[in-house]
């Protein structure tokens, strides 16, 4: 699912979220574990002020495990509860439930002191498009009750999903927008496939990816495409094309096909578990 954002969208989405956040005790924010900074919108820190905060490092199955650990520590130090997960996998949800209980312990104890017993924790899910919000809600709730393709700004009657006796989840996720102003953010979102490919130059994007991989994950391209990691990224793309038989009529190298292939293999994890952001740089 890819979005086109306009200032009008953003104002509406923000207003909606301000209203929704008032109703909850806990904000569950999903980020993409491969780019935890670029896949966040810092406005959520102001919007979620005073609420318990949980960050889910989602798609961690595609990200570098050591960096996942680093990011977990990074966010914990900033006062968030953190869980690494694969939103498609029911197995991750036990840990999420346990952390929700922990994150809301203070609220539960406060309720008890006031004589309120068994009032469930109310939570909402937020995040930029494509981080896995709908998938998470579906898996967590255990049935297909989250509608995919939620449009920002569409107001419906509030629906709560009762997850267990302790937790209720707002059924519609809050959609945040990425930080478009920052070019490196745009590049990283494009690399993971969250920005429409047809508005980007695929060849350029694949060259950026080759450059990053060569610097940060030496040996990965060699192993996958059986070539030496030498020369310019364009020369390397040519070697990938030859290795994979990306040849056009007239024996010409099909760069576009090779570019699409290397991007797809990165996005689907065929090049291995790779993260594009490191906590020590972003700290
Ligand atoms: P959203 O509501 O935040 O917009 O995201 P959504 O749940 O629609 O998920 C976006 C895509 O990411 C889906 O792929 C979904 O299966 C995939 N996804 C979600 N969580 C995870 C995860 O933890 N690991 C991996 N590997 N994938 C995950 P899709 O259905 O193929 O859609 P698309 O990417 O082709 O648009």
């Amino acid at each position: 699912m890819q979005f086109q954002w306009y200032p009008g969208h953003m104002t509406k989405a923000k207003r909606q979220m301000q209203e929704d956040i008032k109703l909850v005790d806990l904000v569950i924010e999903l980020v993409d574990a491969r780019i935890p900074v670029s896949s966040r919108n810092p406005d959520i820190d102001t919007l979620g002020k005073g609420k318990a905060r949980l960050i889910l490092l989602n798609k961690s199955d595609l990200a570098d495990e050591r960096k996942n650990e680093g990011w977990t520590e990074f966010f914990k130090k900033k006062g968030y509860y953190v869980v690494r997960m694969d939103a498609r996998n029911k197995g991750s949800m036990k840990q999420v439930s346990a952390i929700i209980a922990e994150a809301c312990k203070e609220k539960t104890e406060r309720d008890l002191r006031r004589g309120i017993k068994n009032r469930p924790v109310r939570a909402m899910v937020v995040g930029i498009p494509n981080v896995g919000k709908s998938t998470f809600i579906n898996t967590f709730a255990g049935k297909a009750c989250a509608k995919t393709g939620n449009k920002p700004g569409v107001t419906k009657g509030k629906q709560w999903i009762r997850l267990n006796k302790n937790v209720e989840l707002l059924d519609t996720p809050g959609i945040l927008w990425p930080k478009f102003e920052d070019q490196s953010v745009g590049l990283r979102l494009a690399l993971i496939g969250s920005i429409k490919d047809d508005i980007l130059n695929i060849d350029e994007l694949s060259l950026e990816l080759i450059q990053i991989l060569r610097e940060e994950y030496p040996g990965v391209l060699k192993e996958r495409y059986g070539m030496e990691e030498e020369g310019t990224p364009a020369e390397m793309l040519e070697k990938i094309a030859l290795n994979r038989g990306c040849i056009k009529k007239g024996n010409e190298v099909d760069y576009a096909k090779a570019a699409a292939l290397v991007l797809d293999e990165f996005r689907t994890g065929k090049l291995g578990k790779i993260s594009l952001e490191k906590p020590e740089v972003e700290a």
Side-chain angles (χ1 to χ4, degrees), residues 1 58-59 61-62 85-88 128-135 148:
M1 181 179 46
N58 194 36
K59 306 198 187 184
D61 54 300
L62 297 171
M85 68 165 190
D86 171 350
R88 301 163 310 166
I128 68 165
N130 214 40
V131 284
K133 297 178 296 300
S134 306
T135 308
T148 44

Side-chain angles (χ1 to χ4, degrees), residues 1 17 21 26-42 44-45 52-61 71 75 80-89 92-93 96 100 123-141 146 163 169-179 189 192 194 277:
M1 181 179 46
M17 207 172 301
I21 279 182
L26 171 71
V27 177
I28 303 175
E29 181 187 359
L30 268 78
V31 300
D32 190 304
R34 295 166 293 176
I35 51 166
V37 171
S38 296
S39 60
R40 292 193 81 201
N41 175 326
I44 191 62
D45 285 333
R53 301 288 301 280
L54 167 59
I55 288 193
L56 299 178
L57 286 172
N58 194 36
K59 306 198 187 184
S60 61
D61 54 300
W71 282 113
F75 286 119
Y80 302 96
Y81 290 87
V82 186
V83 178
R84 282 168 258 172
M85 68 165 190
D86 171 350
R88 301 163 310 166
N89 177 359
S92 312
M93 300 304 145
V96 178
I100 289 180
M124 75 180 286
V125 172
V126 304
I128 68 165
N130 214 40
V131 284
K133 297 178 296 300
S134 306
T135 308
F136 168 68
I137 295 175
N138 284 330
T139 310
F140 197 44
L163 294 175
L169 193 67
L170 198 58
D171 83 331
T172 342
I175 303 174
L176 294 161
W177 53 96
K179 293 165 277 176
L189 288 167
I192 66 162
S194 281
E277 287 175 345

Side-chain angles (χ1 to χ4, degrees), residues 13-179:
K14 193 166 175 174
R15 207 175 297 138
Q16 182 67 51
M17 207 172 301
Q18 265 161 344
E19 289 308 307
D20 286 348
I21 279 182
K22 284 183 200 153
L23 306 172
V24 303
D25 308 297
L26 171 71
V27 177
I28 303 175
E29 181 187 359
L30 268 78
V31 300
D32 190 304
R34 295 166 293 176
I35 51 166
V37 171
S38 296
S39 60
R40 292 193 81 201
N41 175 326
D43 281 2
I44 191 62
D45 285 333
T46 317
L47 288 164
K49 220 174 173 134
K51 306 290 175 182
R53 301 288 301 280
L54 167 59
I55 288 193
L56 299 178
L57 286 172
N58 194 36
K59 306 198 187 184
S60 61
D61 54 300
L62 297 171
D64 181 333
E65 193 45 37
R66 275 186 51 213
K67 298 219 171 76
N68 288 341
E69 278 167 27
W71 282 113
T72 304
E73 288 316 306
F74 173 87
F75 286 119
K76 275 188 181 166
K77 273 195 199 133
K78 290 189 181 287
Y80 302 96
Y81 290 87
V82 186
V83 178
R84 282 168 258 172
M85 68 165 190
D86 171 350
R88 301 163 310 166
N89 177 359
K90 192 130 186 62
S92 312
M93 300 304 145
K94 239 189 172 162
Q95 204 193 347
V96 178
S97 291
I99 296 277
I100 289 180
E102 196 184 326
C104 295
K105 220 166 104 199
E106 254 181 51
K107 174 221 163 275
T108 314
E109 283 165 2
R110 198 169 54 233
D111 277 358
L112 275 178
R113 282 198 300 276
R114 292 175 181 163
I116 307 166
K117 263 192 222 153
N118 302 330
R119 190 171 73 86
V121 166
R122 287 193 149 184
M124 75 180 286
V125 172
V126 304
I128 68 165
N130 214 40
V131 284
K133 297 178 296 300
S134 306
T135 308
F136 168 68
I137 295 175
N138 284 330
T139 310
F140 197 44
K143 52 185 179 314
C145 49
K147 291 143 216 86
T148 44
N150 291 301
K151 299 277 184 302
V154 176
T155 320
K156 289 182 278 152
K158 294 277 158 276
Q159 296 270 332
W160 295 87
I161 307 165
R162 188 73 184 245
L163 294 175
N164 54 41
K165 71 177 181 13
N166 301 321
V167 185
E168 279 181 4
L169 193 67
L170 198 58
D171 83 331
T172 342
I175 303 174
L176 294 161
W177 53 96
K179 293 165 277 176

Side-chain angles (χ1 to χ4, degrees), residues 11 40 44 49-50 60-61 131 142 147 157 164 167 178 193 199 206 209 213 224 239-240 252 257 282:
T11 313
R40 292 193 81 201
I44 191 62
K49 220 174 173 134
S60 61
D61 54 300
V131 284
K147 291 143 216 86
N164 54 41
V167 185
I199 56 168
S206 73
L209 179 64
L213 291 177
R224 183 81 188 163
K239 288 186 210 159
I240 293 172
E252 250 182 79
K257 195 170 173 188
E282 310 294 339

